[in-house]
Amino acid sequence: MINSITLYSLRNNDYSQFLNNSLNVIQRFNLTALAIQDEYDDVEAGAASLQNLLNGISANKLTQELELLDNRRDNALNGVITLISGFNYSTDAVTKANANTLLVHLNAFGSSIARESYQNETNKIDNIVKDWSSKPELTAALTALGLDSWKTELSAANIAFDTFYVDRSVDKGLSTQDRVKEKRAQTNQLYYALRDALDAQYTINKKKQPEPFLSAINALNGLIKDYNDLMARRGYTADEAPATEGTTSTDTHNSKAA
């Protein structure tokens, strides 16, 4: 069985290193044979996210990512509007009527939706997609023109932007120390899930085929002993909270010109 370690007693940088070391140890064995690929991937993602916090994510990087998501939904919005406008020139009466139905609806939201503030654009696209999905005449017109996939992309792009925008706003409202504490708590659970999955696989297979489970567990226990010895030398006990190694992170928000 995998030995215990008091994760909360590790300093932030030691904690991050322990996760990476654990992943490296386990990776030496066949993850497919160990049957813990999903749990391994979860810890790897959690460790990377924590490291980003400890390194400090620049405001410029966040702004660039937000702008990429905004460009994605702008392209979807402008693309579908351009297609609808084109269909309005069709010589086919039915096609022209369907395009006109959609254009009349879009005109009610203004002529420059993609240039409005982030919040206004999010709200308007959300309402457009809802109308396209709930109003029979709009749904029929969109389907008749073969634009359902554009509606799907516009909705997905808008949701992706709004999710990132809200998450970033929440992060800005938390101190770096609070964010690291929250991320560590989340990553602890991912590590425990990985540990328990490996233990479970060994328990199931130890009578018929103990390897590579036993070797992976022994290797991981050797690493855990090193970190437990490290904490013992520093005089930590199981009840002590981790030392805080404060990092600072700044972030700014740039809205589009109205």
Side-chain angles (χ1 to χ4, degrees):
M1 303 295 285
I2 298 174
N3 295 334
S4 64
I5 179 171
T6 309
L7 296 177
Y8 287 104
S9 291
L10 287 170
R11 294 176 180 175
N12 288 332
N13 288 333
D14 291 335
Y15 176 80
S16 179
Q17 191 61 43
F18 171 75
L19 293 176
N20 290 325
N21 288 159
S22 298
L23 292 171
N24 288 335
V25 166
I26 295 173
Q27 194 177 43
R28 295 182 181 182
F29 304 89
N30 189 320
L31 289 175
T32 301
L34 292 173
I36 56 170
Q37 184 69 62
D38 290 344
E39 291 82 3
Y40 180 95
D41 290 344
D42 288 344
V43 174
E44 187 175 45
S49 180
L50 175 65
Q51 191 60 55
N52 283 336
L53 285 177
L54 295 177
N55 290 340
I57 304 174
S58 69
N60 183 54
K61 181 178 179 180
L62 288 172
T63 299
Q64 288 177 347
E65 187 167 353
L66 194 70
E67 289 175 350
L68 285 174
L69 291 170
D70 185 46
N71 286 336
R72 176 188 171 188
R73 68 175 182 174
D74 285 352
N75 288 337
L77 177 64
N78 292 330
V80 73
I81 290 175
T82 299
L83 288 171
I84 292 171
S85 298
F87 282 123
N88 195 48
Y89 290 96
S90 175
T91 56
D92 180 79
V94 175
T95 298
K96 185 179 179 67
N98 284 323
N100 186 64
T101 296
L102 293 171
L103 285 176
V104 170
H105 170 255
L106 285 170
N107 287 338
F109 293 90
S111 59
S112 302
I113 301 173
R115 295 186 58 194
E116 296 196 23
S117 68
Y118 286 152
Q119 299 93 325
N120 284 347
E121 182 176 356
T122 298
N123 181 258
K124 287 190 175 183
I125 291 177
D126 184 53
N127 286 329
I128 288 171
V129 171
K130 285 180 179 177
D131 285 348
W132 283 354
S133 299
S134 62
K135 296 184 177 180
E137 69 278 12
L138 298 178
T139 300
L142 207 68
T143 299
L145 297 179
L147 300 176
D148 287 326
S149 62
W150 282 87
K151 179 188 74 172
T152 300
E153 167 59 14
L154 180 60
S155 177
N158 199 46
I159 290 172
F161 175 89
D162 192 44
T163 298
F164 182 85
Y165 182 86
V166 171
D167 287 347
R168 193 186 70 154
S169 298
V170 170
D171 283 346
K172 286 168 64 179
L174 298 173
S175 69
T176 300
Q177 184 175 333
D178 286 339
R179 292 163 66 192
V180 169
K181 182 178 179 181
E182 180 180 11
K183 179 58 65 176
R184 281 187 59 157
Q186 294 170 353
T187 311
N188 283 351
Q189 298 308 311
L190 299 177
Y191 169 79
Y192 295 146
L194 174 62
R195 177 200 64 189
D196 293 347
L198 182 52
D199 272 341
Q201 289 298 329
Y202 172 65
T203 299
I204 293 170
N205 295 283
K206 64 181 179 181
K207 288 186 178 180
K208 293 184 178 180
Q209 189 174 347
E211 296 296 345
F213 311 103
L214 181 59
S215 294
I217 288 173
N218 287 338
L220 193 57
N221 280 340
L223 177 69
I224 291 172
K225 182 180 184 304
D226 289 341
Y227 277 86
N228 279 333
D229 289 345
L230 171 67
M231 288 188 285
R233 289 195 299 271
R234 289 175 174 170
Y236 293 160
T237 66
D239 293 329
E240 285 185 298
T244 57
E245 297 172 358
T247 56
T248 57
S249 172
T250 57
D251 184 21
T252 58
H253 166 60
N254 295 323
S255 294
K256 296 190 293 185

